[in-house]
Amino acid sequence: MANVAFIGLGNMGGPMAANLAKAGHQVRVFDLSESALAQAEAQGCIACASAADTVVDVDYVISMLPADHHVLGVYLGDQGLAAQLQAGTLVIDCSTISAETARNLGAQLQQHGLRFIDAPVSGGVAGAQAGTLTFICGGAADAVEEAKVVLEAMGKNIFHAGDTGAGQVAKICNNMLLSVLMVGTSEALQLGRAHGLDERVLSEIMLQSSGRNWTLEVYNPCPGVMENAPASKGYQGGFLVDLMAKDLGLAQQAALASGAMTPMGSLTLNLYRSWSQLGHGQEDFSSIFNYVTPKTKA
Ligand code: NAD
């Protein structure tokens, strides 16, 4: 069993750290939120007073933080972990950040004698809780292979997408597609509802027809259709609108840098940004369903 430091115990990191502890690893954790720390402790992790306190005698450091600047702060900031970790430690960042930041971070950690892989995830909060996440890794093949010792306690599919940063590129491609599916599914459900259809019946029809997709399978955006989906829990506790807007921004940056054509990704970025500006940034991203409600006819 491994000694692991885990930083960032939010909607995703909390259950991921709990699954590591459940598998028998020793997991030293830190989060800025005291309630998140207390919950992790109740689930078998060792709560620490700072990120620096987590990295005593650890083989692996895992981070699950919101965005680029949080990750850079934790590793390279004033009290950054880069200067405190023992040479050879494998750093596994599971946050969704830009590929460029991941590559820069990997290079700087290497100067401190550390190893790094980017390992963003797919599967949502339900996947984090069930330990069935998909890890999409970038970095040296031997480091990705070694990381399986801990990743397998949290997920069931572990892909090696390529060199450092490649995991992030694959991840933003996936999330750009997910945003398009979520908006499209929401539109279809609202259109059917506006014409008197029952959302449950319409969902089942589309699920068994050519419109079938992941949002209909496990994450229906219409309240009441799927008991465990965030839509049926007031759009709380899933993947925030602001985080989806962040990922779509990363996708557009990558598209600009490469000249790739992403009209649908650009549209969903604008929809999610504007939904956030209307005050919905801290809701689950399926709440976009409420943005595409039919307007009253003139
Ligand atoms: P979250 O906002 O629920 O959790 C982030 C946690 O990081 C919070 O508990 C916060 O207190 C903590 N944090 C921030 N700065 C910190 C610091 N300096 N030191 C310690 N803790 C710090 O976010 P989340 O939903 O868990 O997502 C985390 C990452 O995973 C994001 O990059 C997101 O894009 C990605 N992701 C999320 C989902 C999802 O369904 N929620 C799915 C796949 C990927």
Side-chain angles (χ1 to χ4, degrees):
M1 287 295 129
N3 292 334
V4 187
F6 200 111
I7 323 284
L9 305 165
N11 288 326
M12 297 295 288
M16 288 166 71
N19 278 331
L20 273 173
K22 205 162 107 189
H25 298 293
Q26 189 185 78
V27 192
R28 298 174 63 83
V29 297
F30 176 68
D31 193 290
L32 297 175
S33 152
E34 285 187 12
S35 64
L37 258 186
Q39 199 175 346
E41 194 167 29
Q43 290 173 313
C45 301
I46 302 164
C48 296
S50 67
D53 282 351
T54 62
V55 299
V56 182
D57 289 334
V58 293
D59 311 302
Y60 304 98
V61 182
I62 303 176
S63 43
M64 192 49 165
L65 297 159
D68 293 41
H69 70 275
H70 304 91
V71 176
L72 291 174
V74 161
Y75 290 106
L76 305 174
D78 279 350
Q79 306 284 316
L81 299 183
Q84 315 197 30
L85 285 162
Q86 279 185 342
T89 306
L90 179 55
V91 172
I92 305 168
D93 180 45
C94 297
S95 326
T96 305
I97 60 173
S98 80
E100 195 186 357
T101 297
R103 284 191 283 265
N104 289 340
L105 176 61
Q108 297 211 43
L109 292 177
Q110 199 175 21
Q111 285 175 11
H112 288 268
L114 303 165
R115 296 175 299 145
F116 173 77
I117 63 169
D118 48 309
V121 307
S122 178
V125 174
Q129 287 166 344
T132 56
L133 290 172
T134 294
F135 287 90
I136 310 165
C137 306
D142 57 345
V144 173
E145 197 53 37
E146 186 186 328
K148 288 182 180 172
V149 171
V150 283
L151 299 186
E152 279 172 351
M154 303 179 284
K156 63 174 185 183
N157 293 309
I158 299 164
F159 290 107
H160 184 201
D163 292 340
T164 310
Q168 298 295 351
V169 175
K171 169 66 185 171
I172 54 167
C173 290
N174 178 74
N175 273 24
M176 186 177 77
L177 175 58
L178 171 61
S179 72
V180 172
L181 294 172
M182 182 56 85
V183 173
T185 300
S186 297
E187 281 181 21
L189 287 170
Q190 289 285 14
L191 176 63
R193 181 193 241 188
H195 287 266
L197 268 61
D198 181 315
E199 302 89 348
R200 284 186 194 77
V201 174
L202 177 56
S203 293
E204 190 55 28
I205 290 169
M206 295 194 295
L207 196 51
Q208 302 305 332
S209 305
S210 44
R212 181 185 189 113
N213 69 77
W214 184 85
T215 71
L216 287 167
E217 283 167 358
V218 299
Y219 218 97
N220 195 297
C222 178
V225 174
M226 226 167 238
E227 200 186 326
N228 287 323
S232 300
K233 300 176 186 166
Y235 296 104
Q236 296 305 306
F239 179 45
L240 302 183
V241 165
D242 280 344
L243 289 179
M244 178 53 99
K246 172 208 59 162
D247 290 0
L248 291 169
L250 294 175
Q252 287 307 295
Q253 271 175 29
L256 275 175
S258 60
M261 194 174 158
T262 53
M264 302 296 282
S266 156
L267 177 58
T268 56
L269 167 64
N270 283 297
L271 287 171
Y272 272 103
R273 276 199 182 149
S274 112
W275 189 229
S276 173
Q277 278 161 12
L278 289 167
H280 302 275
Q282 295 299 300
E283 293 174 1
D284 179 74
F285 82 113
S286 60
S287 69
I288 200 78
F289 178 78
N290 289 328
Y291 197 24
V292 292
T293 43
K295 305 294 172 257
T296 316
K297 279 192 233 158

